[in-house]
Amino acid sequence: MQRSGIQVGKIELGILMTNFYYVYREEGRGEGGKPQKTPVICIDPADHGEEIYETLTGQGLVPEVILLTHAHFDHIRGVQALQRLSGAPVYCYKEEKELCEDPKKNGSAAYGHPLTVQPSAYLSDGEEILAAGLRCILLATPGHTKGSCSYYFPEGGFVLSGDTLFDHSVGRTDMATGSQEELLRSIREKLFVLPEETIVYPGHGSETSIGEEKTHNPFLIENTDIGSL
């Protein structure tokens, strides 16, 4: 999908059908219709890092940075391979260090493949990321996990919300470091203050918008029990 000359690609991966996103600025095609090598921001390599790399490079897209919305196993299984093949640095919110380093807390141990992630750097709330000719802002949105975050692209008018906000739903909070109170506060204070036309790309399922969720999301309107993802 394209908005303001910025492309947002999506691939569903893994047993929980997690959304892997890649974002880049369209630079046109080279001679003979071949794509130019274009830098790309990768978000949540959920699984099959080798396939992600081959798919992107086959389209002339070169991973420049890998961003994590949080460190649950279904969002990080492809990180090591993609980082190894691309050499791209990995970043996430500093409060997610606990889950990055603990296979039990990130859920990977329960599935027989314990995983840890070693980010190149931990970032702070409000920190700007400049990569692939794009600018995005890390928004701390704790609740699904202590270190959950979202990435807002002002120029493109969209936000990648991880497992914080979904289409007419919200993230579960019954796993390690989760908090329902924090989740609802994060959505209201960090996401619902964005322009209503802002497109929301969640960690699972289809896209939505801030305006749609402010008006019709039952978990925010009625403050009912939390969702199941």
Side-chain angles (χ1 to χ4, degrees):
M1 181 169 295
Q2 183 177 16
R3 188 170 184 180
S4 300
I6 299 174
Q7 295 278 355
V8 181
K10 180 179 80 170
I11 305 174
E12 292 183 329
L13 296 164
I15 60 175
L16 297 183
M17 299 301 288
T18 303
N19 293 331
F20 160 69
Y21 293 102
Y22 52 102
V23 184
Y24 61 99
R25 191 181 298 280
E26 182 62 74
E27 297 293 345
R29 299 287 176 176
E31 294 182 3
K34 295 182 180 179
Q36 298 176 351
K37 289 186 177 181
T38 302
V40 61
I41 296 176
C42 299
I43 300 95
D44 289 352
D47 206 348
H48 305 297
E50 295 90 347
E51 294 181 19
I52 290 174
Y53 181 76
E54 292 174 0
T55 298
L56 293 180
T57 55
Q59 299 176 43
L61 302 175
V62 181
E64 185 170 303
V65 66
I66 300 168
L67 304 179
L68 303 179
T69 62
H70 64 292
H72 276 152
F73 79 97
D74 61 309
H75 288 252
I76 65 172
R77 292 185 67 171
V79 171
Q80 291 183 358
L82 183 59
Q83 183 181 31
R84 171 175 51 81
L85 290 168
S86 68
V90 177
Y91 300 128
C92 72
Y93 179 39
K94 63 182 180 181
E95 296 296 333
E96 196 67 347
K97 187 174 187 293
E98 185 176 355
L99 265 69
C100 285
E101 299 178 351
D102 192 330
K104 290 184 178 179
K105 291 184 177 180
N106 67 36
S108 61
Y111 285 83
H113 298 283
L115 294 171
T116 60
V117 177
Q118 296 181 335
S120 308
Y122 288 100
L123 306 181
S124 301
D125 182 24
E127 191 159 345
E128 293 188 350
I129 299 119
L130 302 175
L134 300 167
R135 168 179 169 264
C136 67
I137 302 169
L138 186 153
L139 303 177
T141 49
H144 181 60
T145 67
K146 180 181 178 181
S148 286
C149 71
S150 302
Y151 296 99
Y152 177 48
F153 289 74
E155 180 185 356
F158 59 87
V159 62
L160 294 106
S161 62
D163 286 2
T164 297
L165 179 64
F166 298 113
D167 178 15
H168 292 183
S169 188
V170 295
R172 62 188 294 177
T173 59
D174 60 341
M175 297 180 289
T177 76
S179 166
Q180 176 175 333
E181 181 180 357
E182 286 291 327
L183 180 78
L184 297 178
R185 181 183 300 115
S186 292
I187 294 172
R188 291 191 173 105
E189 296 183 1
K190 290 298 188 71
L191 298 181
F192 279 4
V193 298
L194 299 175
E196 292 196 355
E197 63 271 21
T198 301
I199 301 299
V200 178
Y201 293 105
H204 302 268
S206 60
E207 67 187 66
T208 181
S209 71
I210 292 297
E212 175 68 19
E213 299 311 309
K214 287 175 70 174
T215 305
H216 299 295
N217 190 312
F219 297 94
L220 277 303
I221 296 173
E222 301 173 6
N223 196 16
T224 55
D225 290 336
I226 292 303
S228 59
L229 285 172

